[in-house]
Amino acid sequence: MKIVIAVKRVVDYNVKVRVKSDKSGVETAGVKMSMNPFDEIAVEEAVRLKEKGIATEIVAVSVGVTQAQETIRTALAMGADRGILVETEIAVEPLAVAKLLKALAEKEGAELVILGKQAIDDDMNATGQMLAALLGWPQGTFASKVEIADGAATVTREVDGGLETVKLALPAVVTADLRLNEPRYASLPNIMKARKKTIDVVKPADLGVDVTPRLTVINVSEPPSRKAGIKVPDVATLVEKLRNEAKVI
Ligand code: AMP
């Protein structure tokens, strides 16, 4: 079974993001970029499926600027077999990413596509769902457990009320939630090995996809800064303040 995984290059989750002075977006110049954390979980899941002998090949795909090859390289160091960069300078929206992934999943003959549930930069939470719809494949989103057997994926999903288990006939799309697994750190020997693995570079047009944005960003602003808290001497004062000042009890 061939697995395609989608890995996005985003501002590292430890970075305190700054809004550009013209309010057109977030400052990325000179900022540490990393693989989207949910995509690391997607990579880990695919690698575990390969280690179990279920997956035969893992193809890591990223859509973005030339430097997104580093993100693919990280996936290769974690255990993916090869990579494909769909190179574009345009900040691609979920629908366009989904169209590109559809083209690649079909071209590669993938039986499973694993994405992160959400990219931490734009918080869209849409690409996996759109991809499943475009392919006409079943989807298991917010996965906290994935089991593959007899041509089907049994996916445990984290939903509001608890856990929901769905059985999907393969081929299928899965999006990874936080508790699916704990991604490994790539070892030095594997980082070295990853350097020799192939990354093909294609353009969106090669896949017949128009990635022109459909959304216009009007304004990006920082959230209001939080006021400092206060310390109270005892529980009685706390209760009094909650009742009379905050009026929450
Ligand atoms: P989103 O729908 O933007 O929140 O992203 C959900 C998931 O889609 C991410 O966790 C990635 O797995 C995948 N994805 C989104 N954008 C890209 C991209 N530019 N390149 C590769 N994968 C992406």
Side-chain angles (χ1 to χ4, degrees):
M1 179 176 78
K2 197 188 266 194
I3 303 181
V4 164
I5 45 176
V7 293
K8 186 175 187 186
R9 178 177 185 265
V10 297
V11 172
D12 187 271
Y13 72 98
N14 282 311
V15 170
K16 191 180 176 315
V17 289
R18 287 219 179 79
V19 171
K20 284 187 188 160
S21 51
D22 64 0
K23 301 203 183 297
S24 64
V26 160
E27 192 59 72
T28 51
V31 169
K32 182 174 184 227
M33 306 292 282
S34 302
M35 186 189 296
N36 181 45
F38 294 108
D39 303 354
E40 288 183 358
I41 298 172
V43 179
E44 177 65 35
E45 198 60 21
V47 174
R48 288 186 190 186
L49 287 171
K50 192 167 175 208
E51 285 168 349
K52 282 187 203 152
I54 296 169
T56 47
E57 192 183 25
I58 305 168
V59 183
V61 176
S62 193
V63 180
V65 291
T66 316
Q67 294 88 324
Q69 290 203 23
E70 291 159 22
T71 312
I72 295 176
R73 217 41 97 184
T74 306
L76 299 178
M78 286 173 74
D81 297 290
R82 61 191 172 83
I84 302 172
L85 170 68
V86 184
E87 194 176 34
T88 171
E89 291 289 327
I90 296 174
V92 182
E93 291 167 1
L95 181 58
V97 177
K99 285 179 184 171
L100 294 166
L101 289 172
K102 172 184 190 277
L104 287 171
E106 285 174 343
K107 196 168 162 217
E108 292 289 338
E111 275 195 86
L112 187 63
V113 182
I114 314 180
L115 306 89
K117 72 162 180 181
Q118 182 170 346
I120 62 163
D121 53 0
D122 52 20
D123 275 347
M124 292 286 192
N125 178 8
T127 310
Q129 294 86 332
M130 287 180 173
L131 173 63
L134 291 174
L135 283 165
W137 293 3
Q139 59 182 294
T141 51
F142 306 98
S144 62
K145 192 171 173 203
V146 176
E147 278 170 332
I148 309 282
D150 307 324
T154 305
V155 178
T156 305
R157 309 183 55 231
E158 300 208 353
V159 293
D160 276 352
L163 297 174
E164 178 188 64
T165 306
V166 290
K167 195 169 180 189
L168 321 171
L170 296 175
V173 174
V174 167
T175 73
D177 211 328
L178 194 63
R179 277 163 286 271
L180 180 58
N181 59 51
E182 241 183 72
R184 69 195 63 193
Y185 287 105
S187 65
L188 192 58
N190 285 344
I191 293 172
M192 302 304 282
K193 266 192 234 158
R195 287 191 186 169
K196 296 208 184 83
K197 294 182 181 174
T198 323
I199 300 179
D200 292 318
V201 181
V202 297
K203 299 280 180 194
D206 301 336
L207 300 168
V209 178
D210 176 9
V211 295
T212 313
R214 293 166 174 236
L215 306 173
T216 311
V217 175
I218 297 170
N219 181 32
V220 177
S221 59
E222 289 188 8
S225 56
R226 284 176 60 181
K227 289 200 194 110
I230 55 159
K231 273 189 187 163
V232 290
D234 49 36
V235 173
T237 320
L238 174 66
V239 171
E240 188 272 321
K241 284 191 180 295
L242 288 174
R243 185 166 293 145
N244 299 321
E245 277 183 29
K247 297 193 194 317
V248 289
I249 54 170

